[in-house]
Amino acid sequence: MSWYGTTRVLAPLGADFHSRRLKLVSSQVGTIAAERQSRWTYRRRLELAVSLLTDPALDRLLSHRVSFHDLPDRLPDLLNRSSDVLAALVLYDGAPD
């Protein structure tokens, strides 16, 4: 949520959060506290992040697909705050969708 900069982010942690046993996972993308650096190396953090991305439930977050070739034209709409885009998957030539 740090991408939001100084904007407040509402993350309701009420009914569904508890009853459905949802988890909120965070990561420090800057520097790691000195006392944790020996345990949480860059490689370990990257491996954990990539492993979390293998969860098929995350596919539901991909609301749009756009080819890399079309990205320059589509990007303004994809990034518009009033759009319905949750997350867009960029498809590269020859890559399976």
Side-chain angles (χ1 to χ4, degrees), residues 3 25 45-62 87 89:
W3 294 341
V25 179
R45 289 186 297 154
L46 180 60
E47 287 173 350
L48 177 60
V50 170
S51 75
L52 292 171
L53 292 174
T54 63
D55 186 339
L58 295 176
D59 291 347
R60 291 185 224 151
L61 300 176
L62 299 172
L89 176 65

Side-chain angles (χ1 to χ4, degrees), residues 19-20 26 33 39 53 61 72 80 84 92 94:
S19 65
R20 292 178 52 209
S26 67
R39 291 191 337 242
L53 292 174
L61 300 176
N80 186 324
D84 64 342
Y92 295 89

Side-chain angles (χ1 to χ4, degrees), residues 22-72:
L22 300 177
K23 287 193 270 182
L24 182 63
V25 179
S26 67
S27 171
Q28 173 62 35
V29 295
T31 59
I32 299 293
E35 64 272 10
R36 294 185 179 156
Q37 286 179 0
S38 63
R39 291 191 337 242
W40 284 99
T41 63
Y42 174 81
R43 181 180 183 93
R44 183 177 176 201
R45 289 186 297 154
L46 180 60
E47 287 173 350
L48 177 60
V50 170
S51 75
L52 292 171
L53 292 174
T54 63
D55 186 339
L58 295 176
D59 291 347
R60 291 185 224 151
L61 300 176
L62 299 172
S63 60
H64 291 71
R65 296 172 187 269
V66 60
S67 76
F68 181 76
H69 175 76
D70 295 335
L71 201 53

